[in-house]
Amino acid sequence: MATPRQLVNDLKDRRTLRGWSQDEMARRCGLSRAGISAIETDRLIPSAAAALALAEALECRVEDIFRFPRPQAAEPLAAWAWPPPREPWRYWHADVGGRLIYYPTEATPLGMPPHDGMSLGGSFQGQGASDPQRTLVIASCDPAAGLLAAELAQAARVRLIALPRSSRAALVLLGKGLVHAAGIHLTGTDQPDGNAAIVRRELGPGYSLLRVARWEEGIICSPGLGFRTVDEAVRSNRRWIGREPGSGAQQCLDELLEPRRLPRRLASDHRGVAEAVRNGWADLGVCLRLVSEEAGLPFLRVRDEVYDLCVPERWEQDQRIQALVYAVRSASYRKALGDLPGYDVNGSGEHQRIP
């Protein structure tokens, strides 16, 4: 007699993600608490009717809760999201839209998360450190991504890889199916639908936006300059540090300086701008208030911006995307984020579809 195939069972994770006890889960789906416990611990394989009731209560598909493990396949010779700088090189891996993708490790806002293996001679030598199906990859320039990583790890046992990318670079990766979500901040709060219009133009329909926060962007100043207004800083003949094209900060700087005196030196992220000013490589730059206060440097507010996470609608039933939504909406994450200087969490967790 053939040995029954073992099911992968995510019922407990999906239940706890919603904050439900086993009693609450049982009440919502019409099963007993003992039955819920037995299913979660793999002592009972649910009937088709029970599986459908569980999926209906959790607002997902049956196959999102119960599935057969994927057969172990030979590692491909090359499955990089983009080529590593050289070999051997460390990598992270993640399942994105049903594809196993390998990411060369790099510095991130989270520091250097443990790598999943090494590439050598075109092959991937895994260490079995992390489950690619429990890894969420976001491209974003949010310097507070560590708070989201902590919430995801604690509430849903999901590992976050936060790749530091500008808003438009993040959208490019999302459009290629190389990340689960892209963080964007390309419009001020006076254009509440501005991010949606940009996504529609860059990627087309079939995406949605998850509001994370509103944050303050402005000019960081070298100590001793004594500027009291944005106009004084813009009119001064001082050295500016820029950001790469496609970033929200560079867009803000372009609007301030127009075509004149565009910076020759660029920083790769908000903290890079602060580092350049703090070390005397530049006198002025554009970054977030949070980063300015971290560096202990004067800040002149220019505008408030809307920071959203863009997600493909076709992946909304993915457990990691659902975990992301619950994390952003959780009271603990909103409290931690709202305590940061320049972050406003009113409206955090709002969902907007892009037709």
Side-chain angles (χ1 to χ4, degrees), residues 137-217:
V137 184
I138 292 177
S140 163
C141 68
D142 181 11
L147 297 180
L148 183 58
E151 186 69 32
L152 286 166
Q154 181 177 355
R157 296 191 295 115
V158 169
R159 176 182 66 158
L160 176 65
I161 300 296
L163 302 171
R165 297 292 187 274
S166 69
S167 294
R168 293 190 186 275
L171 287 177
V172 169
L173 294 181
L174 186 65
K176 292 180 177 179
L178 295 176
V179 297
H180 295 100
I184 58 174
H185 64 108
L186 291 168
T187 57
T189 53
D190 58 333
Q191 299 174 291
D193 294 327
N195 284 338
I198 290 168
V199 172
R200 189 180 302 110
R201 184 172 67 247
E202 299 287 333
L203 300 181
Y207 294 85
S208 60
L209 295 177
L210 177 66
R211 177 65 45 82
V212 179
R214 303 169 189 268
W215 60 28
E216 292 183 41
E217 190 161 56

Side-chain angles (χ1 to χ4, degrees), residues 12-242:
K12 182 178 180 180
D13 289 339
R14 287 183 175 269
R15 172 180 62 78
T16 56
L17 185 60
R18 290 180 175 253
W20 296 348
S21 65
Q22 288 183 342
D23 286 328
E24 178 67 10
M25 183 77 252
R27 184 187 68 78
R28 288 176 177 269
C29 68
L31 303 178
S32 68
R33 188 206 62 78
I36 298 296
S37 176
I39 294 171
E40 289 185 349
T41 55
D42 295 319
R43 292 181 288 111
L44 174 66
I45 297 177
S47 66
L52 287 169
L54 290 166
E56 183 178 11
L58 291 167
E59 300 178 318
C60 65
R61 302 169 302 176
V62 171
E63 55 266 37
D64 294 325
I65 310 174
F66 308 104
R67 64 185 183 278
F68 290 118
R70 293 176 180 171
Q72 191 69 29
E75 296 284 10
L77 291 178
W80 290 111
W82 44 83
R86 60 182 180 274
E87 286 204 357
W89 198 262
R90 305 175 312 282
Y91 67 78
W92 301 302
H93 60 191
D95 177 285
V96 183
R99 293 191 301 155
L100 186 60
I101 298 177
Y102 295 82
Y103 302 87
T105 59
E106 59 183 279
T108 78
L110 315 179
M112 182 63 72
H115 57 279
D116 297 322
M118 295 283 294
S119 68
L120 182 62
S123 66
F124 298 98
Q125 302 175 2
Q127 301 176 180
S130 297
D131 182 353
Q133 293 186 354
R134 301 199 71 85
T135 297
L136 178 73
V137 184
I138 292 177
S140 163
C141 68
D142 181 11
L147 297 180
L148 183 58
E151 186 69 32
L152 286 166
Q154 181 177 355
R157 296 191 295 115
V158 169
R159 176 182 66 158
L160 176 65
I161 300 296
L163 302 171
R165 297 292 187 274
S166 69
S167 294
R168 293 190 186 275
L171 287 177
V172 169
L173 294 181
L174 186 65
K176 292 180 177 179
L178 295 176
V179 297
H180 295 100
I184 58 174
H185 64 108
L186 291 168
T187 57
T189 53
D190 58 333
Q191 299 174 291
D193 294 327
N195 284 338
I198 290 168
V199 172
R200 189 180 302 110
R201 184 172 67 247
E202 299 287 333
L203 300 181
Y207 294 85
S208 60
L209 295 177
L210 177 66
R211 177 65 45 82
V212 179
R214 303 169 189 268
W215 60 28
E216 292 183 41
E217 190 161 56
I219 299 173
I220 188 172
C221 307
S222 179
L225 291 180
F227 295 139
R228 293 171 297 177
T229 67
V230 170
D231 188 62
E232 288 180 358
V234 170
R235 291 179 179 276
S236 68
N237 188 25
R238 293 288 182 168
R239 299 169 300 162
W240 289 81
I241 181 73

